[in-house]
Amino acid sequence: MPTLHEVQAAFARGVLDPALIGGIAGRLVGDGIAPERRLGVYRNNVLASLRSVLEGRFPATRRRLGPERFAPLALDFIRTELPARPQLSTYGAGFPAFLERSIEDRALPCLADVARLEWAREDAYHAADAASLNPRTLASIPAERYPGLRFELHPSLRLIRSAGPVHTLWRAALDDSAEGSDRALASGRAEQVLVVRPELTVATRPIALADLLLVEALAQGLPLAEAAATAQSADAGFDLQAALAHHLAGGSFTGCH
Amino acid sequence: MTAVGGKRSRPLERQAGIGLRHPHVVDLIERPPAGLAWLEVHTENYLVDGGPRLHQLERIRERYALSFHGVGLSLGSAEPPDPAHLARVRQLADRFAPELLSEHIAWSIESGHYLNDLFPIPYTEEALSLVARNVEIAQEALGRPLMVENPSSYLRFVDSTMAECEFVAEIARRAGCGILLDINNIHVSAHNHGFAVADYLETIPAAVIGEFHLAGHASCEIEGSPILIDDHASRVDEPVWRLFEAALARYGPRATLIEWDNAIPPLEVLLEERSAAQRRLELATPGPARADAA
């Protein structure tokens, strides 16, 4: 008689892949229904439930692909990357990279980037809570200290860079607007997106490349003057004051020192 | 294990509760229905760092007693439960102090992969000792008594040497844990595997039972054979109500949950089902539970 460990290893293989059922079928009672069909009930539970997790998490990606194309891709992903822990809120992080590897479709540019944006929103939704930096705290700091200030970013803050119009494509897919997608693609512009959840609602806004560089530099712990210089290297006309005001209002920071 | 020996407290023993489902959260916070004392959540849904889910659970906690029903410990695995996962569950339980805490006699993790379903176990001596060990590890790590739920299943193993109900009763005896008796699961498994429901109630002692689950199931046909699927997507079926009444007569009242996880209906429908369970709980006589527990 095989050990419980052996039975479970063979069961798991047979559940995921009908071709591997031979390792477990002999341990199962038929009783009017073939063991393969009995195992099939579990296979359906596993695959359908995980697929529905991915559908809920990547709605814009699914709209762009179409449900008939999304479903088999989701199943391929599930078979290559099962959840690593029993917390489905963490499942799907690898899906954008999987799409990048699996889909080469000129008609669907930025597909993986839109999926990355959707994942960032999911991730931000469940990120740790933190109170945002009060603009008055910053205002109370003497101006001469500003160049050396370092900022702590909100734990939910995520940045997305794309070679294409990722934000517009995401928005257009959710609005089911083919025109919106076409216009965005025709523009050929690159977009960057900031995702943050300062309180209970996830905010998603496009930001300039210089602004993204500023936030990335601050995230690395660089002082404000150096971070601003990085931003200005991409855009000499970068308005630091306006960008900071926007970040303060949007809750990007939790503190500064 | 002596964590839950002898005298057991029976929180909410004359209260029927419902599973907390996303579409109902705001209503339950803002307009608490009369008589609804407790809600059950799937523990793993709240293992997140922060955000709206935990915020809502805090608000729910202000108004209701809570049951944490886990689906991720995989106590039926040959491998022991993941200490990191146990630590996360403990942290959540310490924060929210649920009145009831339960898991399943089933497995879902193999070689570090989580398969998001509850798979059956061969009922052997080897499995018995491994699962009892896993439950002991879990109770120790969680620092509170745990109930484990009898499974519903669609297949059996040729290697089983004992009846499901004997296996379940023996887990409780060896590990010193409670049993969450899922009435619908008994009905589904008895139908699918041709055992007598009466054996179940006779075999599981009253002293270990801390909660009942009630749910709907679906019927389908595979190769001409009818099979019941435990899909939690409809009202409690009539034979399951009858079996619930038999369980109340045998065991006395216990905290009872209406589980409805798929094709989630309006809150009113769930509350109607809850009332049907509540009426039966109020009519139940205490049963032999306390004498058994002595």
Side-chain angles (χ1 to χ4, degrees), chain A residues 121-158:
Chain A
R121 286 173 46 82
E122 182 73 22
D123 208 18
Y125 186 83
H126 298 301
D129 300 318
S132 294
L133 174 64
N134 188 327
R136 272 177 295 184
T137 309
L138 189 62
S140 70
I141 295 174
E144 63 272 19
R145 279 192 53 208
Y146 273 41
L149 276 186
R150 292 167 206 272
F151 288 79
E152 284 125 40
L153 299 194
H154 196 278
S156 69
L157 188 140
R158 305 285 181 274

Side-chain angles (χ1 to χ4, degrees), chain A residues 1-13 15-16 24-39 41-43 45-47 49-50 53 57 80-90 122 124-129 197 199-201, chain B residues 22 44-45 47-56 71-73 76-79 82 85 88 95 107-122 124 126-127 130-131 152-159 192-194 221-223 225-227 229:
Chain A
M1 191 170 85
T3 64
L4 182 62
H5 182 82
E6 288 161 350
V7 166
Q8 292 179 333
F11 189 107
R13 284 193 295 274
V15 153
L16 291 170
I24 188 66
R27 315 312 310 173
L28 307 179
V29 177
D31 200 10
I33 300 175
E36 299 83 70
R37 300 295 298 271
R38 292 183 177 277
L39 209 60
V41 176
Y42 292 98
R43 180 176 308 121
N45 284 352
V46 172
L47 298 179
S49 66
L50 292 176
V53 169
R57 208 144 282 178
T80 50
E81 199 175 315
L82 285 161
R85 49 160 87 172
Q87 284 166 261
L88 293 178
S89 59
T90 64
E122 182 73 22
Y125 186 83
H126 298 301
D129 300 318
R197 200 206 80 240
E199 284 175 9
L200 295 177
T201 310
Chain B
H22 180 71
E44 280 72 11
N45 285 347
L47 296 181
V48 291
D49 294 334
R53 277 193 199 167
L54 288 172
H55 176 81
Q56 286 179 329
V71 294
L73 281 180
S77 283
E79 308 299 325
D82 175 13
H85 189 68
R88 287 189 283 268
R95 174 168 170 188
W107 63 282
S108 55
I109 295 176
E110 208 286 315
S111 304
H113 299 306
Y114 174 64
L115 291 141
N116 198 36
D117 197 17
L118 298 165
F119 299 140
I121 306 168
T124 62
E126 184 210 7
L130 290 173
V131 179
S152 63
S153 64
Y154 316 114
L155 58 77
R156 282 178 295 149
F157 293 89
V158 294
D159 303 315
N192 290 347
H193 307 310
E221 234 176 59
I222 300 180
E223 294 173 356
S225 296
I227 187 164
I229 306 289

Side-chain angles (χ1 to χ4, degrees), chain B residues 96-159:
Chain B
F96 287 93
E99 280 75 4
L100 300 165
L101 182 71
S102 56
E103 252 287 352
H104 294 84
I105 301 182
W107 63 282
S108 55
I109 295 176
E110 208 286 315
S111 304
H113 299 306
Y114 174 64
L115 291 141
N116 198 36
D117 197 17
L118 298 165
F119 299 140
I121 306 168
Y123 300 129
T124 62
E125 273 301 325
E126 184 210 7
L128 198 49
S129 58
L130 290 173
V131 179
R133 175 207 64 187
N134 289 351
V135 175
E136 287 180 12
I137 291 171
Q139 291 201 123
E140 194 68 46
L142 296 171
R144 36 177 63 76
L146 184 65
M147 290 180 281
V148 290
E149 177 181 329
N150 58 298
S152 63
S153 64
Y154 316 114
L155 58 77
R156 282 178 295 149
F157 293 89
V158 294
D159 303 315

